Each structure stands twice: as structure tokens, then as C-alpha cells.
Amino acid sequence: KNQVEQSPQSLIILEGKNCTLQCNYTVSPFSNLRWYKQDTGRGPVSLTIMTFSENTKSNGRYTATLDADTKQSSLHITASQLSDSASYICVVSLLTGGGNKLTFGTGTQLKVEL
Amino acid sequence: NAGVMQNPRHLVRRRGQEARLRCSPMKGHSHVYWYRQLPEEGLKFMVYLQKENIIDESGMPKERFSAEFPKEGPSILRIQQVVRGDSAAYFCASSPEQGPQETQYFGPGTRLLVL
């Protein structure tokens, strides 16, 4: 069964601090790995997309890493802001004849406090 | 360029009624995906459509659920004879093309509550 597991389930940090979120997956065959940010009551918004040949990708204060050998990814958030409070979802994509089929993790709920 | 639009944002139905969820993709996007998010769970793929065609419906329950994406107008996810277990957030996403790194843009979702 294809699975995407994330840790921690939830996290509270102080504004300005850094944090790292983890993702392990067993999805196969693997096409790419994505990180999404989902604010409460909103749809997910794409942060990064990495293929198996990419080790790291940055988007502003967000940096994602990928180790396709160990099937692990991380999302590092630098100098956190209150607006970073959201659910961060790791998503692994299978490329099939029917398009990209996304398998979603359950997310890490991040809360940034003053 | 407006984003993906979904309506209604909230829908309340009694058991046995029908629910119709609408999704207007971003302008120029011809690929539409529907996902369901149950409470405390991750999003689950339901169906992938292109204009007038269902490409992959492997995530769709075999009964009561149907989807369409007509030549004109929004994509519709239809749930007949709703049950309490259908209560969830339903998200639509659209993309301009298909490929390994195509980005899916998500709508705000429709939250369905079945009483």
C-alpha cells in the first residue's frame, strides 16, 4: 500500500525560530515529491516540487530536501513568522497513464507563537 | 486571473438527499482533479477529468458518486443519496497540462455536512 507518513504530527515554535518537518514515503513508482501549505479552511498551496534527481529546492524561507534512496524528505522553515502557522503536507506523486496521482500525508500542524 | 473557484463553500444535506459540488478551474486549465478530506485525515484522490472525459476514477466510490467536466461550464461532483460518512471537505484542483512537474492549483474546498 502506498503511504506517506509525516512527523511530528504537530509542532509549536516561537516566532523567528527555525524548524524542520519530516516525511517518509513508500510510494512506488515515484515521480516527484511536493510540499504544500494548507491554511485552516483553505485549499493547499504548492511550496516545492522535486523530482527524484533533485536533492534540494528552495522557495524563499522554505527549503525542501529529498533522499530518494532512503525515501525521506524534509521541509526546513527559516526565521518563522506568525503567518507560517498552517498544516504542511508532504505529497508524493505517481506518474501514471492517467496523469499525476497524488498521495497525501496527513500533515504536520505548525503553530508559530510570539 | 481568478484562482480555482468552488461553490458552495458549505453545504448541508439530510441523509438521502443529493449533493452537487461545482468547480471552475483556472482560466486556460483543462485538467481537473477532485479530492476528499475526511476529518483528521489527508486528502484522498477521487477522480481526474479532462474536458468531456473521465481519465481516472479509481478513487471514486463505485456507487452514488459521479463526476463530469462538460465542454462548457464547471466540473460537477455529484453525490446521490448522501450518508453521514460523506461528510467531508471536497477539494478541486486544476492544472494547465499533464507532466511530471505539473502544478495542481487547489480551490478553497466545499465542506459537506450530512445530518
Side-chain angles (χ1 to χ4, degrees), chain A residues 32 34 41 43 51 98 100-101 104, chain B residues 9 48 56 58 99-100 102 107:
Chain A
N32 57 65
R34 307 155 184 237
T51 65
N100 273 297
K101 186 175 290 186
F104 288 74
Chain B
R9 294 291 306 275
Y48 162 42
D56 183 348
S58 58
E102 125 278 321

Side-chain angles (χ1 to χ4, degrees), chain A residues 31-32 34 36 38 41-44 46 49-51 54 57 89 93 95-102 104-106, chain B residues 9 33 35 37 40-45 48 55-56 58 91 98-104 106-109 111:
Chain A
S31 174
N32 57 65
R34 307 155 184 237
Y36 278 85
Q38 185 176 19
R42 310 285 284 272
S46 179
I49 299 177
M50 291 183 290
T51 65
E54 295 177 289
K57 183 161 279 189
I89 307 172
S93 175
L95 183 61
T96 69
N100 273 297
K101 186 175 290 186
L102 304 185
F104 288 74
T106 53
Chain B
R9 294 291 306 275
Y33 303 79
Y35 297 88
Q37 186 174 32
E40 308 301 323
E41 293 189 17
L43 279 77
K44 296 280 196 305
F45 167 80
Y48 162 42
I55 307 302
D56 183 348
S58 58
F91 290 94
Q98 175 191 330
Q101 297 206 52
E102 125 278 321
T103 295
Q104 294 185 18
F106 283 80
R111 278 142 190 87

